Amino acid sequence: MLEFKENNIDVEKACDELLDGDGAILIKNLFTAEEVKNARDIIHQHSNQETPKVTHFQGKAEKSNNLHLQRRVWNLLNKGDIFIKMATHPVFKNVLSKFLGDEFIMGSIAANRILAGGPGQEPHIDYPYWDYYKKSAFPPKINTSFPMNAQVTIMLDEFTAETGATAFMPKTQSALYYPDDEEYFHKNCSRMFGEAGDAVIFFGAVWHCAMPNISADKDRSAVLIQYLPKFIVPMENMTATLDADVLKNASPYLLQLLGENVPYPEILEEAKGKNTIGIN
């Protein structure tokens, strides 16, 4: 996994790595300790209840007694300006404008918190590929010669083997094949290690999964952002639950990410009648 610093990113090289290389890049020290603490405090405030949160790709963990130790926090744009700042960070804009096209949108922004003892996930690929095990639902010859997804993980705690740093299989994005052999994956995977404030950008078609937090007392929290080309239907309806003030005060770039610049679907001509089927 290539490593960059905030002020020294070769965008062409980064995009080549995402598309044809390992499929992931690490950006060091992208957010300050103060920004990390702000985001982390908010996420912990919203995830301190001992109840399971809606999450994905839990596999065998769904039957475990510790699923409540992995918690999601959704709708982050309403929960603090720090999350708007993270979603609109110029580094992400620069890299993803090249990778997804400069009118790309955001499909989701959420937090994943894995408490000590919390389970990981099964290996998977992300939306819009995430149900590719049902190949009949996709067009023939679909491939990843161009990307339809980019994922961002912003680390709010140190990502180590002990705390459950994300595992991924380098170069699997080129195959577009849904992972179905967990033993093979875990024998051959790499890990997304990093410090609080680091960020990973990766192609969501790369096989990956959160790993179990096997530490005794350490949290592993992260902000997860999904970005998509403008022609992909977002995973979440980003504006449906957005506070009116957030939308009113949104920058032109945030409005772009929310899909407000995408005009479709449109009614291109007013229908002449409500029921014209069968009428000559």
Side-chain angles (χ1 to χ4, degrees), residues 89-165:
H89 197 286
V91 165
F92 301 149
K93 183 179 183 181
N94 291 341
V95 174
L96 297 180
S97 289
K98 185 71 175 178
F99 188 62
L100 298 175
D102 59 16
E103 295 182 3
F104 68 93
I105 60 175
M106 182 166 53
S108 177
I109 177 169
N112 190 20
R113 178 186 179 193
I114 306 179
L115 285 71
Q121 298 171 307
E122 61 184 4
H124 61 274
I125 51 182
D126 281 341
Y127 182 91
Y129 311 105
W130 63 355
D131 58 348
Y132 192 58
Y133 52 84
K134 299 185 298 183
K135 291 187 178 182
S136 63
F138 289 79
K141 297 186 179 182
I142 187 173
N143 60 66
T144 55
S145 58
F146 65 89
M148 294 193 291
N149 163 288
Q151 298 292 135
V152 167
T153 299
I154 301 170
M155 302 177 190
L156 304 181
D157 294 294
E158 186 180 13
F159 270 40
T160 67
E162 185 183 32
T163 61

Side-chain angles (χ1 to χ4, degrees), residues 49-203:
Q49 294 181 354
E50 294 184 7
T51 54
K53 303 294 183 181
V54 177
T55 185
H56 303 297
F57 310 115
Q58 290 306 135
K60 297 175 183 177
E62 289 184 358
K63 299 178 181 179
S64 72
N65 294 323
N66 58 357
L67 185 58
H68 65 288
L69 296 176
Q70 183 175 154
R71 304 175 186 177
R72 292 274 174 146
V73 181
W74 301 93
N75 200 18
L76 289 183
L77 297 184
N78 280 347
K79 293 179 170 63
D81 290 342
I82 181 59
F83 301 112
I84 295 174
K85 184 174 184 178
M86 288 178 164
T88 59
H89 197 286
V91 165
F92 301 149
K93 183 179 183 181
N94 291 341
V95 174
L96 297 180
S97 289
K98 185 71 175 178
F99 188 62
L100 298 175
D102 59 16
E103 295 182 3
F104 68 93
I105 60 175
M106 182 166 53
S108 177
I109 177 169
N112 190 20
R113 178 186 179 193
I114 306 179
L115 285 71
Q121 298 171 307
E122 61 184 4
H124 61 274
I125 51 182
D126 281 341
Y127 182 91
Y129 311 105
W130 63 355
D131 58 348
Y132 192 58
Y133 52 84
K134 299 185 298 183
K135 291 187 178 182
S136 63
F138 289 79
K141 297 186 179 182
I142 187 173
N143 60 66
T144 55
S145 58
F146 65 89
M148 294 193 291
N149 163 288
Q151 298 292 135
V152 167
T153 299
I154 301 170
M155 302 177 190
L156 304 181
D157 294 294
E158 186 180 13
F159 270 40
T160 67
E162 185 183 32
T163 61
T166 306
F168 77 107
M169 183 80 76
K171 301 185 183 299
T172 47
Q173 75 276 23
S174 61
L176 189 56
Y177 177 77
Y178 204 93
D180 59 0
D181 186 338
E182 288 196 40
E183 183 178 355
Y184 175 80
F185 175 88
H186 289 298
K187 282 183 178 179
N188 295 279
C189 66
S190 298
R191 303 292 288 272
M192 297 181 184
F193 296 130
E195 305 287 335
D198 294 348
V200 172
I201 303 176
F202 66 98
F203 190 170

Side-chain angles (χ1 to χ4, degrees), residues 6 29-38 82 85-86 156 196-197:
E6 176 182 3
N29 304 313
L30 194 58
F31 295 97
T32 67
E34 182 180 2
E35 290 169 332
V36 167
K37 183 179 185 306
N38 185 4
I82 181 59
K85 184 174 184 178
M86 288 178 164
L156 304 181

